[in-house]
């Protein structure tokens, strides 16, 4: 199969990836608005080059890519005839994959999108793979969890490649591949990217992934906080300030933990007022599952909603009385202003008139101004040297004559 020539021919040059497997156009990135300029990076190019050189990922082979930003790995490999699945923790990365497949005139099911939380042994993770390509994640703990999770899928002789920018590849990265897969070497850096090449040691059994990290709140409640979620395994200082100033929700009200991470904020809200109807939502599959586990561990009889998606998009207009958010300050090493704006403006949309948005953020991120613009004002609930907790109330919009619209 080839990408439709028209789509590539008409594309912005910055969106065209000339891979040895084929030429593809990747106009959509995994970010909202401002993000990396391109949907792929030099590590993706290096990995594709290496796979072509060693003849891996040829037609008919089974390939699993992990952490692909927006199809830059998966689409060229699928184009070359491999059966490709793309495992990601980001709902936005999967949306970008679908958009980029469409931009090449390719069917959406040409690459199987698999959430990071999918169990091995079923669906797209049922049969052994010939090639595993892993984009190096932010932490060694996350890499270890991913590799131990996927190890049962590696058949002897499988080609295993790690790909990352040199600043993300450390001795601990090599150690994680060696411990879970087998002897591992690194390539020389090219365009500030490097590969890790691991030989599958059939005698090596790394065992199951380590259990998710947990931490205890002063209340004694336990938070399930696995590798890969925000501040994994500990209470973040900004979140702690938020918890100290969290308003108690009204009985029976609809409350949203937006960008829920491990669910610690949702847990505090449901503990303070058990009659609330709580929705926890996040762009990361692991976060949503962690929030579900945190609520279930501490308040097992509740029936809360857990949704994966972008910002407030999964939520209906005018459906919430209180939205609480600790917006991301960085997004894949890139400033996340656009994401924060999407969360704050989305929160306004989902609030009922009379409802409130509570935000915690670094003082210097300028959320005061954003809240004033969106809500016409805000007040400070608490602050410390680094963080501030703000509340903005949704008032009826004023019609030009001054009466509520
Ligand atoms: C600063 S963390 C806050 C986590 C948790 N609420 C806390 O306070 O500890 C921001 C969260 O927003 C999530 N996030 C980032 N981009 C998002 C997006 N576009 N839509 C929804 N959630 C997003 C991240 O996955 C992360 O869990």
């Amino acid at each position: 199969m080839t990408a439709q020539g028209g789509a590539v021919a008409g594309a912005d040059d910055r969106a065209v990836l000339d891979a040895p497997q084929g030429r593809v156009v990747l106009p959509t990135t995994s970010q909202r608005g401002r993000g990396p300029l391109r949907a792929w990076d030099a590590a993706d190019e290096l990995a594709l080059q290496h796979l072509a050189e060693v003849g891996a990922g040829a037609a008919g082979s089974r390939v699993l890519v992990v952490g692909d930003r927006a199809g830059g790995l998966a689409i060229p490999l699928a184009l070359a005839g491999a059966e490709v699945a793309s495992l990601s923790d980001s709902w936005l990365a999967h949306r970008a994959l679908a958009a980029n497949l469409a931009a090449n005139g390719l069917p959406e099911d040409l690459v199987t999108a698999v959430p990071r939380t999918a169990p091995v042994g079923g669906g797209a993770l049922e049969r052994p793979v010939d090639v595993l390509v892993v984009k190096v994640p932010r932490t060694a703990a996350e890499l270890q969890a991913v590799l131990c999770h996927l190890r049962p899928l590696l058949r002897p002789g499988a080609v295993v490649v790690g790909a990352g920018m040199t600043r993300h590849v450390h001795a601990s990265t090599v150690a994680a591949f060696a411990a879970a897969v087998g002897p591992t070497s690194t390539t020389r850096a090219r365009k500030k990217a490097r590969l890790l090449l691991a030989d599958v040691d059939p005698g090596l059994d790394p065992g199951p992934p380590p259990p998710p990290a947990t931490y205890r709140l002063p209340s004694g409640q336990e938070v399930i906080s696995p590798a890969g979620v925000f501040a994994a395994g500990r209470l973040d200082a900004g979140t702690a300030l938020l918890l100290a100033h969290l308003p108690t929700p009204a009985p029976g009200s609809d409350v949203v933990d937006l960008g829920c991470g491990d669910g610690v904020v949702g847990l505090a809200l449901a503990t303070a007022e058990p009659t609330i109807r709580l929705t926890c939502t996040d762009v990361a599959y692991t976060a949503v599952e962690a929030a579900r586990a945190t609520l279930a561990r501490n308040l097992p009889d509740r029936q809360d909603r857990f949704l994966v998606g972008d910002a407030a998009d999964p939520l209906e207009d005018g459906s919430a009385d209180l939205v609480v958010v600790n917006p991301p300050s960085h997004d894949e090493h890139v400033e996340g202003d656009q994401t924060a704006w999407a969360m704050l403006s989305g929160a306004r949309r989902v609030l009922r008139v009379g409802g409130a948005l509570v935000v915690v953020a670094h003082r210097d991120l300028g959320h005061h101004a954003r809240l004033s613009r969106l809500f016409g004002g805000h007040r400070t609930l608490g602050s410390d040297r680094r963080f501030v907790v703000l509340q903005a109330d949704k008032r009826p919009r004023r019609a030009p004559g001054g009466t509520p619209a």
Side-chain angles (χ1 to χ4, degrees):
M1 187 173 319
T2 57
Q4 281 184 351
V8 174
D12 176 345
D13 277 357
R14 285 171 308 174
V16 176
L17 169 59
D18 252 318
Q21 290 81 358
R23 192 162 204 250
V24 293
V25 56
L26 303 168
T28 304
T29 76
S30 59
Q31 315 264 320
R32 258 187 182 269
R34 190 178 70 174
L37 203 55
R38 293 187 314 181
W40 72 97
D41 63 16
D44 296 329
E45 290 176 318
L46 214 50
L48 291 167
Q49 189 70 44
H50 173 79
L51 294 176
E53 280 167 16
V54 301
S61 59
R62 292 179 48 77
V63 177
L64 180 59
V65 299
V66 181
D68 190 12
R69 209 184 250 176
L73 284 168
I75 297 177
L77 290 163
L79 210 53
E83 194 184 318
V84 184
S86 177
L87 187 92
S88 175
D89 200 29
S90 167
W91 182 90
L92 274 174
H94 279 158
R95 190 177 73 172
L97 168 66
N100 286 333
L101 281 165
N104 288 279
L106 298 168
E108 190 171 339
D109 62 1
L110 186 66
V111 175
T112 309
V114 187
R116 158 84 180 79
T117 46
V120 165
L125 302 183
E126 189 177 6
R127 289 186 291 140
V129 298
D130 305 298
V131 179
L132 173 67
V133 185
V134 179
K135 288 300 291 292
V136 173
R138 281 177 232 204
T139 64
E142 190 179 353
L143 180 61
Q144 187 193 7
V146 166
L147 291 175
C148 291
H149 181 56
L150 299 177
R151 165 74 209 209
L153 287 174
L154 294 177
R155 62 162 187 73
V159 172
V160 179
V161 177
M165 302 310 289
T166 46
R167 65 183 187 281
H168 302 141
V169 177
H170 312 289
S172 60
T173 320
V174 181
F177 273 93
V181 181
T184 301
S185 59
T186 55
T187 63
R188 287 175 52 178
R190 228 169 70 199
K191 290 209 256 175
K192 297 188 181 162
R194 199 187 283 288
L195 299 182
L196 300 106
L197 308 176
D199 292 329
V200 179
D201 175 354
L204 182 69
D205 177 11
T214 61
Y215 60 89
R216 276 198 191 278
L217 298 171
S219 62
Q221 290 176 310
E222 191 175 35
V223 180
I224 317 283
S225 186
V229 303
F230 171 71
R234 66 181 173 84
L235 182 62
D236 169 70
T239 310
L241 186 74
L242 172 64
L243 295 186
H245 296 280
L246 209 51
T248 302
S253 58
D254 290 295
V255 178
V256 178
D257 180 359
L258 181 59
C260 60
D262 59 24
V264 62
V265 175
L267 174 64
L269 291 161
T271 302
E273 180 45 65
T275 63
I276 61 170
R277 287 184 296 270
L278 175 67
T279 302
C280 296
T281 181
D282 201 288
V283 76
Y285 299 102
T286 305
V288 172
E289 285 315 304
R292 190 195 299 277
T294 293
L295 268 294
R297 170 73 54 95
N298 297 285
L299 304 171
D301 297 329
R302 293 188 57 81
Q303 301 285 322
D304 298 310
R305 266 201 317 175
F306 299 91
L307 305 174
V308 69
D310 182 22
D313 287 4
L315 302 161
E316 308 80 33
D317 291 5
S319 59
D321 302 294
L322 175 65
V323 177
V324 182
V325 62
N326 176 3
S329 51
H330 294 84
D331 199 358
E332 287 189 18
H333 315 284
V334 179
E335 289 295 319
D337 287 8
Q338 300 279 345
T339 302
W341 177 258
M343 286 175 136
L344 301 185
S345 55
R348 187 179 194 289
R349 177 184 61 76
V350 304
L351 280 169
R352 298 188 176 106
V353 171
L357 169 64
V358 173
V359 184
V360 65
H362 272 277
R363 287 170 164 284
D364 52 9
L365 284 179
H367 289 328
H368 305 72
R370 291 190 181 92
L371 289 182
S372 289
R373 209 174 127 198
L374 280 165
F375 289 82
H378 66 267
R379 60 200 163 91
T380 301
L381 300 182
S383 66
D384 63 16
R385 214 165 35 83
R386 292 164 61 204
F387 299 100
V388 59
V389 182
L390 305 168
Q391 175 169 335
D393 300 320
K394 180 165 175 176
R395 293 188 278 252
R397 283 200 195 279
R398 297 251 149 208
T403 45

